[in-house]
Amino acid sequence: MKTGLYGGTFDPLHNGHMKVAQAAKNHLQLDRIIFIPAGDPPHKTEQTITDKAHRLAMVRLAAEKEGAFVSDWELLKTEKSYSTKTLQHFKELYPEDEIYFIIGADSFRDLPSWWHYRELMRLCNFVVVSRPDVDKSTFLSRFSGDEAPPRVFFLDNIFMDISSTKIRQMVKEGEDISRLVPPVIAEYIEAKGLYKG
Ligand code: ATP
Ligand code: MG
């Protein structure tokens, strides 16, 4: 079985995330996608993150509608989340699976600074999604000193000019976000009064 793992803060989940998941599934013929909302991302400590129960509820609403799965594994942990630990967990859970870790080019560029990144590279293939301002030609040279370079598939031309930051900002300013998120997400944000403050 080919399993795609897609981690993110998903604060909130938006159409860009859904498009990435769908494109990864189609292009690499994945059997399933598992969304993994992050509990306490090491690189976002300075930013206030919306209650994880809300983030999880939103990912569930959108993903399950599309036949994708959602794991609360990172959310339930009390210690910091490291992708390497998450990958170890899923590899233990699904030892026979070929794992595809879906990641934005901005994050992948920083991979060599991640906790035990060589172990991570051993455990999975990477599906790298192009982002503006990230030149992919410089990527692989970063791994030239490594014995086993990462196995990378690039997903190009699926960029949508959407970010969760932009959506939070728009809600705060009372703007319409209905074209940027799945309808269930817009309804949820409205019903719970998220991102107003
Ligand atoms: P924020 O603005 O709060 O950083 P975000 O929109 O980047 O949020 P994340 O939850 O941080 O959302 O993203 C999860 C993953 O999805 C990351 O790997 C990120 O690079 C990727 N991603 C986010 N938005 C897009 C988009 N519009 N197109 C392609 N990839 C995206
Ligand atoms: Mg981001």
Side-chain angles (χ1 to χ4, degrees), residues 104-106 108-109 128-143 152-157:
D106 48 338
F108 184 74
R109 186 181 46 190
V128 175
V129 184
S130 58
R131 309 281 332 243
D133 312 322
V134 185
D135 176 10
K136 85 175 183 195
S137 65
T138 61
F139 275 15
L140 296 172
S141 63
R142 294 190 172 221
F143 302 99
V152 183
F153 301 88
F154 288 102
L155 272 189
D156 289 319
N157 304 322

Side-chain angles (χ1 to χ4, degrees), residues 6-12 14-17 20 43-44 47 102-107 129-132 158-166 168:
Y6 190 19
T9 316
F10 303 123
D11 187 15
H14 55 64
N15 289 343
H17 298 133
V20 165
H43 61 285
K44 284 193 176 172
Q47 184 182 321
I102 303 164
I103 179 174
D106 48 338
S107 303
V129 184
S130 58
R131 309 281 332 243
I158 55 159
F159 178 72
M160 299 173 86
D161 184 21
I162 307 178
S163 71
S164 300
T165 303
K166 182 171 158 184
R168 293 193 299 273

